[in-house]
Amino acid sequence: MFPLNQWYVAGFSWELSDKPLARTLLNNRVVMFRTAAGEVAALEDRCCHKSLPLSCGTVEERGVRCGYHGLLFAPSGACLEVPGQDRIPIKARVKSFTLVEKDQILWIWMPAEDGTAPTHDAPDYWVHSDPRYTFKGDVFHYNAPYQLIHDNLLDLSHLGYVHLKTIGGNAKVHMNAELKVEAAGDQVRVLRYMPNSAPPPTYTGAWPFKGNIDRWQEVEFNVSHLNIWTGGADIGTEDMRDPHRGGFHMRGFHAITPETDTTAHYMWTMATNPHPDKEDVGQLVYEQTALTFYEDKVIIEAQYENMKRFPNAPQIDIHVDVGPNRARRVIEKLLKQNEIAAAAPAPLQPVAQAAPSVSV
Ligand code: FES
Ligand SMILES: [Fe+2]
């Protein structure tokens, strides 16, 4: 169901407090915590003694302590302490996952085979560390499979119908926007430009536009997350193809991590460049974004409910589906690669040779 040997987002730095955090990721029940030394860790959320979730326990200096009989587990999953006995049984260990903290994002490596190390570094997200931007985010839960959220984010033509109160705008302008889809490797980019269009409510609330604006939407799909840069500038003042352009920016980080085959986590942040003449822009943009994403959640969950009511009904494609379809092909390709790798016979082990006898 999900491409493996990938980094997925497990959460955000600010979610790890003094308590363990439980979350199901790609059908794995995981507990995350941070040690006193600042190390982040993810373990299978099951004590190897009598199966209590470790997330029912407490975080201590060296690891997580089970809340039933007090076994203490290190970030590696090794048992460090069995209260009341000196000997630690050899099998006293829980499965661990590689968890990396970068730019306030917790990335978890999901291997195709248990215990295999990451083949590449976790992604960077520079926006969270750029002083020009202020950001805030949240974690939403979806009763819908992850790919329906990909579809939604790769096709922003829905803004004119779903998000009229926030970042929407004229539906006709959205549906007729110039659209370009590019694909390279496992990445898909959808670029949309809407010159001379009316700024929607979120934009006018956050930025003192003079009238109509040149508006852009640049969506970059990666297997586990999408980076979406949207914004606008007073007509004719900025080159919409210039990566350093000014104007009002909304930079969205959208991590879509499957929870189960039919549910997903949507972990997002929205960053903006506050205008000096406007107050509390960061908060306004965050609140408007949360409202917008709730609108998407309602639509996507209703869509999935109906797909279950009509399980065999065919769907059609229209012009706005090019981006989502490209992303689906990437996922299909990766699933196939995982399948082929899983089916491949294990490499032959060299036959142990008896050591030659040496005579002197
Ligand atoms: S169930 Fe965890 S210590 Fe007993
Ligand atoms: Fe939306």
Side-chain angles (χ1 to χ4, degrees), residues 46-52 54 66-73 83:
R46 178 190 162 273
C47 179
C48 58
H49 176 221
K50 297 292 175 194
S51 296
L52 186 76
L54 290 172
C66 180
Y68 205 170
H69 313 94
L71 267 66
L72 178 66
F73 296 94

Side-chain angles (χ1 to χ4, degrees), residues 178-290:
E178 180 193 332
L179 173 77
K180 199 170 158 204
V181 178
E182 298 169 347
D186 295 342
Q187 206 175 61
V188 177
R189 278 163 53 85
V190 177
L191 311 172
R192 282 161 44 95
Y193 300 99
M194 292 169 285
N196 193 9
S197 53
T202 305
Y203 283 40
T204 50
W207 199 265
F209 291 113
K210 295 190 180 82
N212 272 11
I213 60 171
D214 293 334
R215 203 173 160 184
W216 67 84
Q217 297 170 331
E218 298 185 351
V219 181
E220 179 193 283
F221 167 85
N222 302 281
V223 176
S224 61
H225 63 287
L226 294 93
N227 300 326
I228 304 184
W229 184 21
T230 56
D234 286 316
I235 304 176
T237 58
E238 299 286 340
D239 174 358
M240 282 201 285
R241 293 350 184 242
D242 180 356
H244 304 293
R245 60 192 175 270
F248 169 60
H249 295 184
M250 288 177 74
R251 286 191 181 267
F253 173 77
H254 311 252
I256 317 297
T257 305
E259 180 188 46
T260 65
D261 297 356
T262 55
T263 58
H265 301 289
Y266 181 24
M267 309 189 215
W268 59 271
T269 65
M270 187 56 74
T272 191
N273 52 340
H275 192 282
D277 299 344
K278 292 265 187 183
E279 272 178 28
D280 283 339
V281 173
Q283 185 61 20
L284 170 103
V285 166
Y286 164 73
E287 284 169 11
Q288 295 272 298
T289 302

